[in-house]
Amino acid sequence: MPSEEREESRLLTPATADLLGAAELEVIGRLANSSNGTFLVRCQAPGEAEGSGMLAVYKPAAGERPLWDFPADSLHRREVAAFELSRWLGWDLVPTTVERPDGPLGAGSVQAFVDHDPDEHYFTLQDAHRPFFMRLAFFDMLANNADRKGGHCLLDGSGRVWAIDHGLTFHVEPKLRTVLWDYAGSRLPAAERRAAHRLAGALDEASDIRARLSELISGEELRALRERASALSQPGIYPAPGSAWSFPWPVV
């Protein structure tokens, strides 16, 4: 698929992870239209000229709106878990995301900022990027994404699509809520099913992905992920929406 044919994006390099994890974070401003506290920050490495650092999105736990069904102060770690899962699978759907205990407003996630066209989203991109979105729909089933809006899909300047906003993921109960229903009834792709099988096996062992995710989500959530991976490794089809609740609001 297109994302696998390109050279690695600067949003995914080890140097970017190091910068996001250690640089001083300068708050530029709050991002509008976010239900939780979300801030644009500049990551300034020592010795860099002022104003030349990398832009990132900082989501502090202190800015998370309380929810009845997700544990308090856990959404930022789910953002990181989604990146770790995407990276381990080799799909690279999510920009580099790290956990910072020392952000300007306390502990939170820091994600590389995608310089994107704000007029583009899932509903404008789906025809030209169908393989990407079929894989993303499969990923969201694995991660049990309860909030996949069309605006969570960003087109960068190179023509690559990225998936962001994964705070409502990895719940133990079925929570899939998405706009990616266009593939309902299509067969689950063999490559994705093989990846799910590999993930289920890794989560049964003392693997790197099991160790990393165990730092970010609960043991019960990790077991639920393993069960979803096992189920999705079998031949099947993409599901259809079961009710109006299956769609997030707003859809973009």
Side-chain angles (χ1 to χ4, degrees):
M1 60 187 301
S3 63
E4 293 174 337
E5 295 169 0
R6 296 188 180 94
E7 293 183 2
E8 186 168 59
S9 167
R10 63 185 289 271
L11 301 184
L12 292 171
T13 65
T16 292
D18 292 342
L19 180 65
L20 297 179
E24 181 179 350
L25 303 181
E26 173 196 356
V27 176
I28 297 174
R30 183 167 182 167
L31 295 176
N33 303 321
S34 297
S35 56
N36 296 305
T38 304
F39 300 86
L40 183 67
V41 298
R42 191 183 307 278
C43 302
Q44 196 77 37
E48 278 190 317
E50 186 174 351
S52 64
M54 184 178 192
L55 295 179
V57 176
Y58 166 52
K59 295 185 177 183
E64 294 175 6
R65 179 168 52 90
L67 298 171
W68 68 269
D69 53 348
F70 281 83
D73 301 333
S74 73
L75 305 191
H76 66 290
R77 282 191 287 272
R78 298 171 195 277
E79 296 271 4
V80 182
F83 163 72
E84 295 286 354
L85 177 59
S86 168
R87 190 64 163 155
W88 186 87
L89 290 167
W91 295 352
D92 293 338
L93 307 170
V94 184
T96 297
T97 312
V98 303
E99 184 178 12
R100 288 286 297 264
D102 58 347
L105 298 175
S109 63
V110 180
Q111 182 176 89
F113 176 76
V114 179
D115 189 5
H116 63 283
D117 183 345
D119 292 327
E120 300 280 12
H121 47 74
Y122 170 66
F123 297 105
T124 67
L125 297 168
Q126 58 178 317
D127 291 340
H129 298 271
R130 183 178 175 86
F132 174 89
F133 286 117
M134 288 193 76
R135 174 163 284 181
L136 181 60
F138 192 97
F139 176 80
D140 283 346
M141 289 190 289
L142 268 178
N144 198 17
N145 193 347
D147 191 36
R148 172 63 70 204
K149 297 183 174 73
H152 296 170
C153 306
L154 308 181
L155 181 70
D156 72 13
S158 73
R160 178 170 183 161
V161 184
W162 298 89
I164 63 167
D165 284 349
H166 296 95
L168 300 185
T169 48
F170 299 104
H171 202 283
V172 295
E173 300 174 1
K175 291 280 185 180
L176 187 63
R177 198 164 184 239
T178 178
V179 297
L180 306 181
W181 294 113
D182 296 271
Y183 317 109
S186 300
R187 292 183 181 276
L188 297 176
E192 279 72 5
R193 290 195 293 105
R194 288 193 296 270
H197 177 76
R198 183 166 60 94
L199 176 64
L203 294 178
D204 279 337
E205 304 170 354
S207 62
D208 56 346
I209 187 62
R210 179 185 175 91
R212 185 68 184 108
L213 290 179
S214 68
E215 299 172 348
L216 300 166
I217 60 177
S218 73
E220 188 177 3
E221 289 166 340
L222 197 61
R223 286 189 291 275
L225 171 60
R226 194 266 174 216
E227 292 173 2
R228 290 193 298 273
S230 180
L232 288 168
S233 71
Q234 304 302 312
I237 61 174
Y238 285 91
S243 69
W245 188 91
S246 302
F247 296 85
W249 186 259
V251 295
V252 176

